[in-house]
Amino acid sequence: MDVAVTRIELPRPVRAAASDGSTVWCAAGDGVRVYTPAGRPLEGGGTAPELRSLAAVPGTVTATGAVPGTLAETVLVPRAFMGTPAPDPLPDGTLAGAGHGRVHWLGPSGAPIAGARFDGRVVAGGGAIWAVGGGVARRLAAPGLLGEPLELPGLDRCAVEGDRLWWTSEHDDVLRGGPKEVGLGRRERGAMTVCAGSLWISVTGGLLRVSAWSGEPGRLVRAPEGPVPFLVCANGVLVGGGRDLFAFAPAAGTPLRVIRLGLDAPPALVIAAGRHVWVFPEGLPGALIVTPSP
């Protein structure tokens, strides 16, 4: 696996960021700025409410390859799995943010176009955005509309896959949201994401893999760190880590590679942007753009 790392300067430290695969939005104290996934500034951006999280569709569920009869590059539209479907599906390129007890639907420049009361954060995946917080999740629909609440008692971690919301609780060691409940065992857990047809959960010693279709758990994949605070999927390449990163392409069978970042501060935020991964060091006005290729 080849990896390129590019450092870019930003006007201010970034508080929240998201990408739909073709655009990157970065929210700081003075508003939202817009970039290409490779780091080139775009016109637009401007003032916006103070945001603590951002999410965009199509999100970060990409190349599958784990479903019989599909190729590694195939992108599947998620099925309806659980919860009440949103009244209106989100169009590609929808951007949303959350902060101070409200969810905001944002235009391409990052300016707000609608809002709804909700205290939590927004997460995206598989063409959907969910608002999550306080043991409740609600799927975003047309601007200003939220789907029916889904109760998530003791919510700990979650990952979005369209209509499906995988989640764990602080009260036990069970993964919920799939075709069946999966016991994870008594172990410390970190980030989770969906990539290459599987749900991945960072744990001590590596990564737990659960089929996103059958819900069957797979073998533990060894990783140099774990549990780690960040896991993202960049065009079928799973990238995770903390101060440094590791990456591999599950569908392609490439070996895991460690990516040394040499950061002066630990990452505060990591997002996937198409085939790129943006890493934002805590408190610093800049980002590293990591580009792994299978």
Side-chain angles (χ1 to χ4, degrees):
M1 177 184 291
D2 296 326
V3 178
V5 180
T6 304
R7 185 184 297 266
I8 65 170
E9 298 298 323
L10 301 173
R12 291 174 178 265
V14 170
R15 294 178 177 175
S19 175
D20 65 354
S22 61
T23 305
V24 176
W25 292 271
C26 297
D30 58 347
V32 176
R33 287 181 168 82
V34 190
Y35 300 87
T36 67
R40 179 171 61 86
L42 297 174
E43 293 184 2
T47 59
E50 184 177 342
L51 302 172
R52 297 179 178 176
S53 64
L54 278 172
V57 295
T60 54
V61 177
T62 53
T64 55
V67 181
T70 66
L71 300 175
E73 294 81 9
T74 303
V75 177
L76 299 183
V77 178
R79 304 167 296 178
F81 290 116
M82 65 171 292
T84 302
D88 298 292
L90 292 177
D92 288 350
T94 296
L95 177 68
H100 295 290
R102 292 190 68 82
V103 172
H104 303 274
W105 284 252
L106 307 172
S109 68
I113 58 177
R117 292 184 179 276
F118 189 90
D119 190 8
R121 59 192 174 95
V122 286
V123 290
I129 300 176
W130 289 68
V132 179
V136 174
R138 302 184 69 176
R139 187 173 173 183
L140 274 65
L145 296 179
L146 293 172
E148 293 298 318
L150 177 67
E151 298 293 331
L152 311 175
L155 175 65
D156 178 26
R157 304 273 185 169
C158 68
V160 172
E161 188 193 8
D163 288 346
R164 170 175 283 177
L165 187 71
W166 300 88
W167 63 284
T168 57
S169 171
E170 297 176 346
H171 302 326
D172 55 33
D173 300 299
V174 177
L175 173 69
R176 296 177 173 88
K180 58 184 178 181
E181 294 185 352
V182 178
L184 301 177
R186 296 182 59 84
R187 62 181 93 195
E188 189 178 357
R189 300 187 296 267
M192 67 167 64
T193 194
V194 178
C195 191
S198 295
L199 174 76
W200 302 85
I201 306 172
S202 177
V203 297
T204 303
L207 298 162
L208 288 179
R209 180 176 188 170
V210 177
S211 169
W213 295 88
S214 67
E216 291 293 333
R219 63 181 179 84
L220 179 74
V221 177
R222 295 293 177 184
E225 296 182 73
V228 298
F230 304 108
L231 277 181
V232 298
C233 185
N235 278 17
V237 177
L238 184 67
V239 180
R243 188 174 286 271
D244 293 314
L245 300 180
F246 57 81
F248 72 107
T254 58
L256 185 146
R257 173 170 178 174
V258 175
I259 305 169
R260 304 295 181 188
L261 299 179
L263 293 174
D264 298 327
L269 181 64
V270 178
I271 68 165
R275 64 189 184 92
H276 307 281
V277 174
W278 285 49
V279 181
F280 300 90
E282 184 176 340
L284 300 179
L288 291 184
I289 301 177
V290 180
T291 310
S293 57

